[in-house]
Amino acid sequence: MLELRKDIFADERDDNLKEIGKGTQRQDMLGHVTGTSSYFNDHKLQGMLHLKVVRSTQAHARIRRIDTAEAERSAGVRRIIRGADVPVNLNTLLSLINFGKDDEPSLAVDKVRYKGEPVVAIVADSEREAFEAIAKVRIDYEPLPAVFDVEDALKPGAPVVNETYPKNTFTYHETYDHQRLRFGDADAALATADHVLEQRYQMSPIEHAPTETNGAIAAPDTNGRFVVYTSTQALFFSVDTCAKILDVPSNTFHFIGGTVGGGFGGKVDTLTEPLAILGAMLTGKPVRYVFGREEEMQYGPPRGAERIYIKDGVMRDGRIVARKILAYFDSGAYTRLSSYAAVKCAAHLPGPYTIPNVYGDVYCVFTNRTPATAMRGFGVTAMDFAIECQMDKLAHLINMDPMEFRILNAYRDGDMKAHRREAKNTALIECVQVAAEKAKWPLREEFKRASSRKDGGGSRAVIPPTPADASRARPTAPAQQRTSYDRLPPTVTREPPREPPPPVPPPPSPRPPAPSHGATRFSSVFGTRRR
Amino acid sequence: MAVTVKTFASASEAAGALSSDRSARYLGGGTLVMRALNEGDVAISTVVRAQDQALTRIDASGPRITLGAGVTFARILADRDLGFLHAPARSIGGPAVRNMGTVGGNLFAPNPYGDFTVALLALDATVAVAGAFGARDIGVEEFLQARDRQPGTLVLSISCTRPVSSEAFRYRKIARIKPKGGSVITLAAHLPISGGRIAGARIALGSMAPTQIRARAAERALEGRSLDAATIAAAASAATEGTSPPDNALGSAWYRREIVGVHLRRLLSGQE
Amino acid sequence: MSKIPLQFRHNGRDVAIFVDGGTNLLVALRELIGDMTPKFGCGQGGCGTCSVLIDGELHLSCLTLAETVAGRSVETLDGMKQGPNLHPLQRAFADNFAAQCGYCTPGMLMAAKALLDRNPSPSRDEVIEAISGNICRCTGYEPIINAILAAAGGRVSA
Ligand SMILES: Cc1cc2nc3c(=O)[nH]c(=O)nc-3n(C[C@H](O)[C@H](O)[C@H](O)COP(=O)(O)OP(=O)(O)OC[C@H]3O[C@@H](n4cnc5c(N)ncnc54)[C@H](O)[C@@H]3O)c2cc1C
Ligand code: FES
Ligand code: FES
């Protein structure tokens, strides 16, 4: 049961609320325990056909020829769908909010960019007949060099994964190849720090593995409309994405969703609906497209891999004086939502700590891997993992208790965050105190007495002078200098660090003058803009 | 084209149907055959079933026991006379898989499966098969070596001699998920003792090669000796000889080679 | 294409359908009989959400060739309610927050029923063993285990 610590947050909440803070039954529980909750696949439609896709066997290849002649003649096949049949065969999910360029086809045409990319869709009377037809489709590939590592993808001469982004990086605001955060002078502070610790962190892709796989059933309705039962986590988003790809008004569709068999971020990509609807449009029949378990695990989008370098300067008394972060999001072959994850990640730097000098570069990089998408703690999870590992290592380095070290550096109300916004409603200190209490971890008196509400602001609220770094060299991936945290034996040398790409011109930073009328709004995608 | 299911009353008819059709698979408990069909394996177009009572018979009364190929793991677990086979039977799948999966199907289960067969290999079991050339008995080791080259044979039953004591037969499966999970490695040992010395040592390993194999070097280290620390150490250090473990999601080949000796030592010294 | 006639008992009622060769029991139940309570999660035996009882024994319907249930009795979650009332297991799942998305729930309940039908007062370890073939990605197993133990102990609200 959730416990609100009134001793700490006395003024945070009214006590006489009727629902908040009280246990309550889920409104869908009765449906769940009786098996009557209705998921997308729980609809029995007369004459339903089954759609399966032929997936690329190559990670990166030019498509020379697609031969579907034998598959067309295969028993039970109603329709073969190729890229040319998709009305708008290029899309990017966030184009709905004008963020990013269309970069991903529903069915690959000239090139495949990851293993498992859909190339041809087959609509057949039964799944078995669709599988039999798949085995008869011949695709002639000309393999291209592939790149699977974010830093390799940024090297000069690396294979171009996605021609929409020839530098293998997402382009922000039509100009920048990464997200950048500058606050104070991190290099100067590192030069005077008592200790400097540089580390490399890597997180692998993580599959959401929802118990229900991604899928949709689309059926022709009256008045030329289509009913679509879908597992989507983002119903309106999916409606508009389908309208765009199929080039029809969005009121062509009646989307029915609601009960999703586990999503966790893995069901926002609208992967099955467009083809299911297109199948229904082309055959006039209900069409179901549902991922098999292997498809879900292999080709469903995961949380993307991330590589993170952190270089911190810390003083003997425990204060972190500088933090430099270089992070690469592996978006896979297409953007999906990774561009946004990188924005969120940059917005999270340098973690919940007040550090006077912060320097961050976050890249969204294209590789020939399965496109990545959202997952719980989107954009932040791996960075938090890296930062908190780093915090433990720093505490150890200066021989300080890791809990107290966090309390010492935690942000407090009134502090200036690296994004030049004042910290409000902070509670990390209290979290650490309560965690220590529960774990029976001894804290010294002064750390027990610390509070997020005390001693913030003042000099901690100052925006430090920040040098423009146009001429300055891009931070290189730090050399793998050994510390006591590296578990490799000293004789083992690691791969040399890779050179990041040449710097881009600096952002033209002067802010537009504040509008004389109308409010401004801050959006993590667009920055500050007029409403 | 749908799959054709052919159901026969007798095992011999089923054997005939199986040997004459390359795209035919015999359906035991179906835990692997149905899985292949569900995932779209179009190489299977005929499924052969037999409703022969003989295939589900258990004979566990005497010193030599016989299990029909269609006997499930749940039935083995329900049979007190088969106590020595309970550990391997219990190590397979979850309860539903044990209610469905059969001893016969386990002989064909590829890595990371086939745990029960590891036990059968250590017990020097005999497999009764019916093929194009009639019925015959072959040793389980020979059966496994020929298995993938001779599709179309029907397994009728498996028999083995009951170990003289519970000490003489030991089994250990290393999995990442408990209580259910594919094998990282599986080990079984049969150590008959005669006059204080091991006579006829058998060590079988699963997930250490494309099929279950015997660890012959380890067996040699045990043969004719008493089961003391020095003997156990010698057997453990010989455990990797002749192995070619797979690299898969459950463990790398390197990891399997590293741990097989450790687990063999624990198995032989009776350590949990 | 030839269809195969198939008769069996479904939650206590006789049913007759025609199936294609190779059809699994999950598809037969859902698409031919219209009982949507068993779910498709993998078709590989890995998730357990398609679990049903065949002659009282826990089976995975996705790995069961439909024809093999001819003349046998198949129970699904659809047959669990006792008249208008929830079965104690259903009640216990609801009371103990043992479902979130609910997709694993039909299989979990059948696995739990298979256990309690032959072992009315299982230990915690026996409960864990009984649901070891069922995956839940949302709820976490603790509330599910607690719900099953609560149902077994009669600690369920009416
Ligand atoms: C979720 C899950 C978990 C599993 N866990 C384990 C585990 O922990 N350990 C393990 O060992 N296995 C495991 N398995 C694999 C499998 O269930 C078992 O190996 C089981 O013994 C296979 O038997 P079956 O009767 O179901 O095989 P089937 O699927 O019926 O058949 C498998 C193969 O054997 C052939 N075959 C079956 N019977 C005969 C016969 N009498 N004669 C000739 N050929 C025959 C079939 O044609 C087919 O090629 C698991 C499977 C699943 C789905
Ligand atoms: S659908 Fe049957 S076990 Fe997953
Ligand atoms: S509640 Fe979602 S899988 Fe269990």
Side-chain angles (χ1 to χ4, degrees):
Chain A
M1 202 51 206
L2 219 62
E3 174 198 5
L4 180 70
R5 289 286 295 256
K6 277 289 183 182
D7 52 332
I8 302 169
F9 300 109
D11 49 352
E12 287 278 317
R13 192 169 82 197
D14 247 348
D15 264 343
N16 48 14
L17 299 175
K18 291 205 179 62
E19 292 293 335
I20 293 176
K22 311 272 189 297
T24 188
Q25 183 55 278
R26 300 176 60 95
Q27 49 93 15
D28 53 5
M29 187 57 96
L30 198 60
H32 288 353
V33 300
T34 53
T36 50
S37 296
S38 179
Y39 301 83
F40 90 89
N41 203 7
D42 294 342
H43 300 276
K44 215 179 108 178
L45 301 179
Q46 186 54 40
M48 185 170 75
L49 305 177
H50 303 263
L51 186 148
K52 294 270 166 207
V53 298
V54 182
R55 294 182 177 277
S56 161
T57 55
Q58 309 288 315
H60 196 194
R62 203 165 299 293
I63 299 176
R64 281 211 205 94
R65 213 168 73 90
I66 302 173
D67 178 2
T68 55
E70 201 191 334
E72 309 260 6
R73 291 191 300 270
S74 192
V77 170
R78 295 294 184 103
R79 176 77 200 210
I80 303 250
I81 305 174
R82 316 246 306 227
D85 299 316
V86 182
V88 177
N89 195 23
L90 205 60
N91 179 48
T92 191
L93 289 171
L94 292 176
S95 64
L96 294 177
I97 55 167
N98 285 326
F99 185 48
K101 297 180 236 176
D102 289 338
D103 66 346
E104 179 169 8
S106 293
L107 293 170
V109 179
D110 48 345
K111 219 177 112 167
V112 288
R113 298 177 177 88
Y114 69 97
K115 193 174 163 199
E117 179 164 4
V119 186
V120 171
I122 293 178
V123 185
D125 288 338
S126 66
E127 293 202 353
R128 168 80 184 185
E129 285 159 319
F131 284 132
E132 285 170 346
I134 283 178
K136 294 172 185 163
V137 173
R138 305 269 167 268
I139 301 174
D140 187 6
Y141 294 107
E142 175 190 331
L144 297 169
V147 57
F148 300 111
D149 180 279
V150 281
E151 290 178 80
D152 285 348
L154 297 183
K155 281 184 187 161
V160 174
V161 173
N162 189 330
E163 293 65 22
T164 312
Y165 295 104
K167 289 162 68 184
N168 289 341
T169 50
F170 182 79
T171 313
Y172 290 93
H173 307 286
E174 280 145 42
T175 311
Y176 313 117
D177 68 351
H178 67 291
Q179 290 283 316
R180 180 183 288 197
L181 177 66
R182 299 290 184 270
F183 186 71
D185 191 338
D187 284 325
L190 282 169
T192 58
D194 289 338
H195 297 276
V196 172
L197 179 69
E198 251 178 296
Q199 295 283 291
R200 174 189 192 266
Y201 300 93
Q202 170 76 41
M203 188 191 67
S204 299
I206 299 174
E207 166 58 35
H208 312 78
T211 311
E212 170 201 62
T213 59
N214 268 277
I217 299 175
D221 201 354
T222 48
N223 302 334
R225 296 180 84 212
F226 292 83
V227 181
V228 183
Y229 300 98
T230 154
S231 70
T232 184
Q233 275 178 265
L235 195 96
F236 290 92
F237 199 74
S238 293
V239 172
D240 287 339
T241 298
C242 290
K244 178 179 168 192
I245 291 174
L246 300 168
D247 199 19
V248 290
S250 54
N251 68 0
T252 312
F253 307 129
H254 175 191
F255 267 51
I256 299 173
T259 311
V260 176
F264 324 120
K267 288 179 179 165
V268 293
D269 285 8
T270 315
L271 297 176
T272 53
E273 298 89 338
L275 288 177
I277 300 170
L278 185 58
M281 287 174 162
L282 295 174
T283 60
K285 293 275 194 181
V287 171
R288 181 175 74 187
Y289 176 18
V290 54
F291 279 5
R293 177 49 59 185
E294 198 171 324
E295 283 181 297
E296 181 74 40
M297 303 300 278
Q298 293 290 321
Y299 312 123
R303 179 205 292 284
E306 286 173 48
R307 177 159 313 145
I308 295 167
Y309 293 94
I310 306 184
K311 182 174 182 178
D312 285 340
V314 64
M315 305 309 278
R316 252 170 252 122
D317 65 9
R319 282 173 301 122
I320 305 172
V321 292
R323 173 161 285 172
K324 259 181 117 161
I325 292 188
L326 175 57
Y328 302 96
F329 275 74
D330 189 340
S331 182
Y334 298 105
T335 309
R336 304 271 176 97
L337 299 167
S338 296
S339 52
Y340 181 50
V343 175
K344 283 192 66 187
C345 179
H348 185 65
L349 301 182
Y353 303 104
T354 295
I355 300 175
N357 301 284
V358 179
Y359 183 111
D361 281 339
V362 183
Y363 291 81
C364 169
V365 184
F366 298 101
T367 65
N368 293 106
R369 294 173 65 166
T370 311
T373 191
M375 191 173 183
R376 295 171 159 198
F378 186 35
V380 169
T381 306
M383 183 54 80
D384 261 345
F385 160 75
I387 287 175
E388 295 308 322
C389 288
Q390 184 85 357
M391 291 299 285
D392 283 341
K393 292 175 178 186
L394 289 171
H396 190 252
L397 190 67
I398 57 163
N399 210 3
M400 194 172 166
D401 178 279
M403 295 276 211
E404 294 179 355
F405 179 64
R406 285 181 171 79
I407 291 177
L408 179 73
N409 287 288
Y411 56 9
R412 301 170 186 222
D413 284 359
D415 287 1
M416 182 54 61
K417 295 197 281 185
H419 310 89
R420 297 161 174 77
R421 303 198 146 243
E422 189 192 316
K424 290 181 199 146
N425 288 57
T426 59
L428 177 62
I429 291 175
E430 288 71 16
C431 273
V432 175
Q433 288 165 336
V434 172
E437 181 186 308
K438 301 236 179 219
K440 302 196 170 53
W441 185 279
L443 291 181
R444 280 178 286 166
E445 226 12 76
E446 58 178 301
F447 291 97
K448 280 191 194 154
R449 279 199 315 270
S451 160
S452 293
R453 317 256 172 117
K454 284 195 314 217
D455 307 325
S459 64
R460 299 164 63 108
V462 172
I463 299 181
T466 303
D469 64 355
S471 55
R472 204 175 282 192
R474 194 59 83 64
T476 52
Q480 291 298 301
Q481 65 181 38
R482 275 189 42 75
T483 72
S484 53
Y485 304 101
D486 290 325
R487 278 208 230 102
L488 290 180
T491 47
V492 175
T493 51
R494 293 209 190 146
E495 251 185 87
R498 298 174 176 110
E499 276 300 314
V504 287
S509 55
R511 266 230 223 117
S516 52
H517 57 86
T520 57
R521 180 175 75 122
F522 181 77
S523 143
S524 53
V525 171
F526 298 108
T528 306
R529 41 128 93 174
R530 278 176 65 185
R531 190 169 284 166
Chain B
M1 222 178 38
V3 175
T4 308
V5 180
K6 294 181 178 164
T7 305
F8 300 97
S10 78
S12 58
E13 287 170 280
L18 208 55
S19 63
S20 61
D21 180 355
R22 294 189 104 255
S23 73
R25 289 286 181 296
Y26 183 75
L27 183 82
T31 55
L32 294 171
V33 173
M34 292 304 290
R35 177 180 182 154
L37 286 178
N38 291 345
E39 280 292 330
D41 182 348
V42 293
I44 306 175
S45 57
T46 306
V47 169
V48 174
R49 297 170 62 207
Q51 289 173 321
D52 199 323
Q53 299 283 320
L55 289 173
T56 53
R57 202 171 292 147
I58 295 179
D59 180 1
S61 47
R64 195 159 174 85
I65 63 120
T66 300
L67 306 173
V71 169
T72 62
F73 303 114
R75 280 190 60 212
I76 292 172
L77 286 168
D79 195 325
R80 280 213 222 118
D81 291 334
L82 293 174
F84 69 104
L85 291 173
H86 283 189
R90 202 179 302 116
S91 78
I92 290 168
V97 169
R98 290 194 291 275
N99 284 337
M100 303 172 70
T102 67
V103 172
N106 202 268
L107 289 169
F108 295 85
N111 275 327
Y113 298 139
D115 297 316
F116 197 78
T117 304
V118 177
L120 294 175
L121 184 56
L123 290 165
D124 262 336
T126 303
V127 183
V129 297
F133 313 105
R136 63 195 176 105
D137 286 347
I138 50 173
V140 66
E141 189 177 22
E142 190 191 334
F143 173 87
L144 290 170
Q145 281 158 5
R147 183 186 72 187
D148 298 330
R149 275 178 282 121
Q150 297 177 351
T153 38
L154 179 68
V155 174
L156 303 170
S157 67
I158 295 128
S159 43
C160 68
T161 306
R162 185 190 299 280
V164 282
S165 71
S166 62
E167 272 293 280
F169 178 70
R170 303 163 187 205
Y171 174 86
R172 188 181 185 97
K173 172 176 167 182
I174 313 306
R176 293 199 182 273
I177 313 168
K178 294 198 175 79
K180 182 199 81 159
S183 148
V184 177
I185 53 169
T186 304
L187 309 95
H190 187 207
L191 308 166
I193 309 266
S194 149
R197 313 222 158 249
I198 302 165
R202 290 288 180 274
I203 307 287
L205 302 174
S207 296
M208 285 302 291
T211 65
Q212 299 83 345
I213 53 164
R214 272 174 55 188
R216 286 210 150 71
E219 290 175 358
R220 279 195 300 275
L222 294 168
E223 194 61 30
R225 293 170 205 270
S226 62
L227 197 59
D228 55 28
T231 307
I232 291 174
S237 63
T240 51
E241 214 178 296
T243 62
S244 50
D247 263 318
N248 62 25
L250 299 171
S252 65
W254 169 84
Y255 179 71
R256 292 185 156 97
R257 263 187 231 106
E258 289 291 308
I259 64 167
V260 66
V262 176
H263 288 292
L264 182 59
R265 180 169 48 72
R266 291 184 188 163
L267 182 76
L268 296 176
S269 54
Q271 218 176 306
E272 256 319 291
Chain C
M1 190 188 288
S2 55
K3 300 264 183 187
I4 303 131
L6 171 64
Q7 291 190 46
F8 59 98
R9 273 183 100 69
H10 170 245
N11 295 327
R13 294 173 60 179
D14 288 336
V15 290
I17 51 176
F18 289 94
V19 295
D20 290 329
T23 301
N24 66 43
L25 181 61
L26 177 63
V27 169
L29 287 169
R30 292 175 55 86
E31 289 171 23
L32 300 171
I33 292 179
D35 176 355
M36 295 294 179
T37 58
K39 305 288 178 209
F40 168 86
C42 65
Q44 304 187 351
C47 75
T49 192
C50 66
S51 301
V52 300
L53 305 189
I54 299 178
D55 290 341
E57 248 188 17
L58 189 68
H59 282 240
L60 298 166
S61 62
C62 73
L63 297 184
T64 303
L65 182 70
E67 289 156 65
T68 61
V69 301
R72 301 174 75 181
S73 160
V74 177
E75 271 176 78
T76 70
L77 177 57
D78 194 38
M80 196 185 263
K81 262 173 57 177
Q82 300 167 333
N85 302 319
L86 294 183
H87 183 280
L89 270 167
Q90 292 173 307
R91 178 45 64 209
F93 267 56
D95 288 352
N96 288 275
F97 200 77
Q100 270 187 45
C101 82
Y103 206 74
C104 68
T105 312
M108 286 286 180
L109 281 165
M110 296 320 284
K113 183 164 191 295
L115 171 70
L116 298 193
D117 282 354
R118 59 165 208 286
N119 180 0
S121 41
S123 67
R124 197 178 170 80
D125 282 346
E126 285 169 330
V127 171
I128 292 171
E129 174 68 48
I131 59 166
S132 64
N134 296 68
I135 285 176
C136 175
R137 284 287 290 162
C138 314
T139 311
Y141 299 101
E142 280 302 303
I144 298 174
I145 295 165
N146 291 338
I148 298 171
L149 287 170
R155 286 177 283 114
V156 187
S157 63

